[in-house]
Amino acid sequence: MGDSITVNGACLTVVKRGKKGFSVDVSRETLRVTSGLDREGEVNLEKALRLSDKLDGHLVLGHVDGVGKVTVVERLSGNRRLKVRAPRALARYIASKGSIAVDGVSLTVNAVRGAEFEVNLIPHTLAVTTLKDLRAGDRVNLEVDPLARYAERLLRR
């Protein structure tokens, strides 16, 4: 009870816990700025990081910055190439070889063209996340690397 958990990239608070699951409260504002929290089905879950935990990958805060649209899903010998169009306001924070979270899954950006970016989904990621089910036209929650936001703010000063 009271713990934070990320559901498809959105940080939520556990309000009820049972033997087979848990419940969270989701505000209208959260539903307005995210995708996929208002329907049944599998979701990506991530427990909150403790300060004593090993840090692996990139920092994901569970603050959805915007909703992107999948434009291409291409199968490549066991992997999949995923192309996503991000909202224009987020595009400046997305860099090749940088990090981005798609539905709460931390990924490395392979390429950026305007507001569209490309990532590679390896077999392990496909096996343990809902990203295996994505199709062109699907909406996904995006969280850009928070360090990019801080860097921009510092450079503006």
Side-chain angles (χ1 to χ4, degrees):
M1 288 286 294
D3 283 353
S4 292
I5 189 157
T6 303
V7 180
N8 275 4
C11 184
L12 303 171
T13 301
V14 175
V15 296
K16 185 178 178 185
R17 193 171 156 209
K19 290 182 180 183
K20 293 187 177 185
F22 62 92
S23 298
V24 296
D25 289 329
V26 182
S27 71
R28 286 185 187 188
E29 175 65 8
T30 298
L31 291 174
R32 187 182 72 75
V33 300
T34 62
S35 175
L37 298 180
D38 57 350
R39 63 180 181 262
E40 290 186 20
E42 289 185 342
V43 293
N44 298 313
L45 298 174
E46 179 131 7
K47 296 187 300 184
L49 179 72
R50 292 186 185 114
L51 289 177
S52 61
D53 288 347
K54 176 185 171 194
L55 184 60
D56 192 15
H58 88 277
L59 295 174
V60 177
L61 304 177
H63 301 161
V64 175
D65 293 310
V67 175
K69 185 175 183 179
V70 176
T71 58
V72 174
V73 178
E74 181 181 7
R75 293 178 190 266
L76 301 169
S77 63
N79 296 342
R80 287 192 196 151
R81 181 181 325 183
L82 183 70
K83 292 184 182 181
V84 177
R85 187 177 331 109
R88 285 221 178 275
L90 293 183
R92 69 179 179 264
Y93 301 114
I94 303 170
S96 183
K97 304 305 177 203
S99 300
I100 192 159
V102 176
D103 276 351
V105 180
S106 173
L107 300 166
T108 300
V109 176
N110 289 344
V112 180
R113 287 172 208 85
E116 187 175 71
F117 67 90
E118 179 181 307
V119 294
N120 186 62
L121 305 177
I122 62 172
H124 177 76
T125 301
L126 293 168
V128 300
T129 71
T130 64
L131 301 185
K132 67 184 167 292
D133 300 322
L134 289 176
R135 304 287 178 255
D138 287 347
R139 294 167 29 101
V140 290
N141 295 321
L142 301 176
E143 180 182 335
V144 297
D145 191 328
L147 298 178
R149 289 186 175 279
Y150 288 117
E152 178 186 53
R153 181 152 173 88
L154 288 171
L155 290 172
R156 285 188 180 177
R157 292 183 168 232

